Amino acid sequence: MKPARRLFLTSLGVGMLPAWLAGCGFQLRQTNDFAFKTLYANFSTTSPLGVELRRNLLGSGRIDLWTEPKLMLKADAILDILSEERQQVAVGVSATGQVRELQLRLRVRFRLRTPQGLELIEPVELFQQRDLSFTETAALSKEIEQAILYRDMQTDIVQQIMRRLSAVKPYNAVPPSQTTAPAAALQPVAPAAALPKPAAKP
């Protein structure tokens, strides 16, 4: 086959690929959209979870992520990571009492709120677990595998947080001073004695 003809067929096949993917129902991952433009990160941006979460938020290209405490009250929303817990639980032992299988667990609790105290996402816990076979003769390789599994669970939880953030509906933030109407704007209710009496029937 001539090089020119091969190049033409290759280009044609690549050009038809997106149409074929769309026809079979496959969709490429789209950039998340959010109901807020500025987000205050009320969590450590240097922890493994914080680093990945920060990278995903900034990578969306739709959010300005603020970390300065003085900017917290000016942000559209505040993301609180309330807790992060990593556990290793022995779920399998040998006849001699040696651990043969571990269960790795990762729990993360978070919430999303406005600076005025309105909870856009109430405190929720996300949970992931993975099973890991264990042997003392391969302790180093198992330690590496454990780190990989924790990173996999962390990535899954970060993606869940991103999906929940993008599901928040647009809202109108109300400053605390306007949560109640001024006294002058309230209409007093007339007492019962002042109400007109119904006309007597003939």
Side-chain angles (χ1 to χ4, degrees):
M1 183 181 293
K2 295 181 180 181
R5 181 178 175 81
R6 185 185 301 113
L7 179 60
F8 171 76
L9 292 176
T10 301
S11 301
L12 182 62
V14 172
M16 293 177 62
L17 183 59
W20 177 80
L21 290 175
C24 70
F26 178 85
Q27 291 184 348
L28 296 176
R29 179 178 295 179
Q30 300 177 351
T31 303
N32 291 330
D33 200 3
F34 302 91
F36 42 86
K37 301 303 180 184
T38 57
L39 180 68
Y40 180 78
N42 196 24
F43 56 88
S44 172
T45 55
T46 59
S47 67
L49 177 69
V51 169
E52 185 165 357
L53 187 53
R54 179 178 183 272
R55 183 170 62 247
N56 277 264
L57 289 168
L58 293 178
S60 70
R62 306 294 183 91
I63 294 178
D64 289 332
L65 189 65
W66 295 349
T67 57
E68 291 291 333
K70 62 182 180 181
L71 297 176
M72 181 172 65
L73 296 179
K74 298 180 180 180
D76 294 333
I78 300 171
L79 177 59
D80 299 313
I81 299 297
L82 303 174
S83 65
E84 178 187 354
E85 184 180 4
R86 300 177 183 236
Q87 293 179 315
Q88 300 179 22
V89 180
V91 294
V93 295
S94 66
T96 58
Q98 294 181 328
V99 176
R100 285 291 175 260
E101 187 174 2
L102 291 173
Q103 190 173 84
L104 308 180
R105 300 172 181 175
L106 178 60
R107 300 176 187 270
V108 176
R109 292 184 70 248
F110 80 99
R111 70 176 176 182
L112 183 71
R113 59 187 172 95
T114 67
Q116 293 77 30
L118 174 65
E119 287 193 337
L120 305 175
I121 300 178
E122 296 182 355
V124 61
E125 180 179 279
L126 303 178
F127 176 74
Q128 287 285 309
Q129 69 180 34
R130 300 289 188 275
D131 294 328
L132 174 65
S133 60
F134 183 80
T135 174
E136 295 180 353
T137 58
L140 181 58
S141 63
K142 289 300 177 181
E143 184 176 345
I144 296 174
E145 184 179 356
Q146 175 179 312
I148 294 174
L149 291 175
Y150 269 125
R151 187 163 62 247
D152 178 66
M153 289 189 288
Q154 175 182 289
T155 298
D156 191 288
I157 286 180
V158 167
Q159 292 303 316
Q160 289 188 54
I161 293 176
M162 293 294 294
R163 288 194 294 270
R164 289 171 183 257
L165 293 180
S166 65
V168 173
K169 303 300 181 183
Y171 62 93
N172 294 320
V174 180
S177 60
Q178 299 180 9
T179 54
T180 57
L186 296 177
Q187 297 296 326
V189 178
L195 294 176
K197 296 182 180 180
K201 293 183 179 180

